Amino acid sequence: MRKIIARVARPATALQLRHVTPVAPSRADGPVAAVYQQIERDFGMLAPPVALHAASPVVLAAAWTMLREALLASGRTGREAREVVAAGVSQANRCPYCVDVHGGTLAGLLSGPDAAAMLTGQLADLRDPRLRELAGWAAHGGPPPFPAEHGPELVGVAVVFHYLNRMVNVFLPDSPLPPVPGPVAAVLRRGAARILAGLAGRTVVPGESPGLLPPATVPPDLSWTGDRPHLVAAFARSAAVVDAAGERSVPAPVRRLLTAQLPRLGAPPSGLDARPAALRLRWLDECVAGLPESDRPAGRLALLVAFASYRVTAADVDRVRARGYDDRGLVELAAWSSLTAARYLGARALRVAPAPTAGWSRRTIG
């Protein structure tokens, strides 16, 4: 059955991707083929949020390694706790695609009213107080509602989804499910929840994906990985290759600009939530005005990805393409921006309570 699901899911992955050409499993070789094989073995299907990275094989391996070791690998926390963190972070980041997937998985793992709440993404309606508190922490910050020994795994999940949500908002549609009438959609969601919960039941051995990447030293902002060797290796190695991709594909003035703006994450600048519509992008315009003209499209996209990825448009991508970016360059620009934001948020997750996300909505979630 698992092999059938994996084969059936492959064409859907290609159909969902936006802005980049998919790399089909039949055409994959080398590092891409190795990652695809691990994804289908351990996740159960070629997940579009990971496959969208295939134009940059090293970034593909990094995205998979972080997701596998944080969300899937066996550890001190259960899958339910990890999925509720994934869903909570996805709500905060206005990523309806990931809310559908991870809310659906959680619905399949739970029962009764809590399962029903998750089928519609209503995290605040969870009756289990432990899961409800975790969802609130993931979405809005605050004191961690879990013991210190659970921190590496749950912060790891939060960082992965702060990263993946941004990539998904740029490169995938609003939902993995087709747009159908309400009653049909409800049936599809229940069926998807059963499938996803079944896939979540497999045992995934920690530490088998970091070998896809070269060794790296743990930077200070990833010290939350603590005493979990598979998380230390996964995040240190992934951060190193994404940093290298940034040096390759993101102009240095853009990297400096985004890094300087990171303290504003969690408290959106007025330019991102101002009214009327004509003023919404004023902050972005002011920021990129100081860049060389040739770097402004990349700067605009990098800031949007980090601060409001749900607002990235085809026009934003086209402006970057016009500056000579191919698929690899586009993926690497978005990946560096996404992981830079995610690492910043992860480093303060156990220290500072970020403000709830405000501003535009791509689709109402919960």
Side-chain angles (χ1 to χ4, degrees), residues 70-85:
L71 181 70
L72 309 183
S74 302
R76 296 168 180 165
T77 57
R79 187 65 179 266
E80 291 177 3
R82 300 186 200 190
E83 291 290 346
V84 83
V85 170

Side-chain angles (χ1 to χ4, degrees), residues 170-293:
V170 175
F171 294 104
L172 292 178
D174 280 355
S175 176
L177 301 174
V180 293
V184 179
V187 173
L188 283 178
R189 289 180 186 280
R190 287 195 294 271
R194 286 193 293 271
I195 293 171
L196 290 168
L199 296 176
R202 63 183 59 199
T203 299
V204 176
V205 178
E208 294 187 357
S209 61
L212 296 165
L213 301 167
T217 302
V218 184
D221 67 302
L222 298 179
S223 61
W224 51 260
T225 50
D227 63 347
R228 308 296 284 150
H230 64 293
L231 294 177
V232 173
F235 282 90
R237 296 181 186 203
S238 297
V241 301
V242 173
D243 279 348
E247 292 178 4
R248 181 168 55 244
S249 296
V250 185
V254 174
R255 298 199 306 272
R256 290 193 294 269
L257 172 63
L258 177 55
T259 301
Q261 294 296 327
L262 288 176
R264 305 181 82 165
L265 274 171
S270 60
L272 290 184
D273 59 8
R275 301 293 194 273
L279 299 179
R280 287 177 180 172
L281 300 180
R282 184 174 62 186
W283 174 76
L284 280 176
D285 292 338
E286 291 172 353
C287 283
V288 301
L291 294 172
E293 185 175 357

Side-chain angles (χ1 to χ4, degrees), residues 19-366:
H19 307 311
V20 292
T21 301
V23 177
S26 60
R27 294 189 293 107
D29 57 14
V32 174
V35 173
Y36 279 9
Q37 288 167 7
Q38 271 202 15
I39 295 172
E40 291 192 338
R41 182 195 71 187
D42 294 338
F43 189 74
M45 64 179 70
L46 185 57
V50 183
L52 66 84
H53 297 80
S56 176
V58 292
V59 177
L60 170 72
W64 165 242
T65 295
M66 291 187 291
L67 178 66
R68 183 193 188 276
E69 300 301 331
L71 181 70
L72 309 183
S74 302
R76 296 168 180 165
T77 57
R79 187 65 179 266
E80 291 177 3
R82 300 186 200 190
E83 291 290 346
V84 83
V85 170
V89 170
S90 300
Q91 278 198 343
N93 289 326
R94 307 290 199 271
C95 185
Y97 187 106
C98 292
V99 170
D100 280 351
V101 171
H102 297 282
T105 303
L106 195 55
L109 293 172
L110 300 175
S111 60
D114 279 353
M118 292 316 305
L119 284 172
T120 54
Q122 302 295 329
L123 285 167
D125 291 342
L126 286 168
R127 296 190 179 184
D128 183 324
R130 181 180 64 95
L131 295 180
R132 190 171 61 250
E133 288 177 1
L134 267 180
W137 171 81
H140 306 305
F146 47 79
E149 59 267 26
H150 291 176
E153 292 173 8
L154 297 179
V155 175
V157 173
V159 170
V160 169
F161 281 88
H162 277 302
Y163 171 76
L164 285 177
N165 293 160
R166 288 165 166 80
M167 298 298 288
V168 166
N169 277 340
V170 175
F171 294 104
L172 292 178
D174 280 355
S175 176
L177 301 174
V180 293
V184 179
V187 173
L188 283 178
R189 289 180 186 280
R190 287 195 294 271
R194 286 193 293 271
I195 293 171
L196 290 168
L199 296 176
R202 63 183 59 199
T203 299
V204 176
V205 178
E208 294 187 357
S209 61
L212 296 165
L213 301 167
T217 302
V218 184
D221 67 302
L222 298 179
S223 61
W224 51 260
T225 50
D227 63 347
R228 308 296 284 150
H230 64 293
L231 294 177
V232 173
F235 282 90
R237 296 181 186 203
S238 297
V241 301
V242 173
D243 279 348
E247 292 178 4
R248 181 168 55 244
S249 296
V250 185
V254 174
R255 298 199 306 272
R256 290 193 294 269
L257 172 63
L258 177 55
T259 301
Q261 294 296 327
L262 288 176
R264 305 181 82 165
L265 274 171
S270 60
L272 290 184
D273 59 8
R275 301 293 194 273
L279 299 179
R280 287 177 180 172
L281 300 180
R282 184 174 62 186
W283 174 76
L284 280 176
D285 292 338
E286 291 172 353
C287 283
V288 301
L291 294 172
E293 185 175 357
S294 60
D295 292 341
R296 289 174 191 170
R300 182 185 183 87
L301 182 58
L303 287 169
L304 273 174
V305 167
F307 281 88
S309 56
Y310 47 88
R311 293 296 298 178
V312 172
T313 67
D316 295 310
V317 174
D318 290 343
R319 291 187 192 101
V320 171
R321 290 286 198 183
R323 294 297 182 180
Y325 276 74
D326 58 9
D327 279 5
R328 187 187 76 167
L330 179 62
V331 166
E332 291 185 346
L333 187 157
W336 179 84
S337 304
S338 297
L339 192 57
T340 297
R343 288 172 63 178
Y344 178 83
L345 293 170
R348 77 180 195 186
L350 300 178
R351 299 182 289 106
V352 179
T357 303
W360 304 315
S361 178
R362 190 174 177 216
R363 189 186 97 186
T364 300
I365 307 173

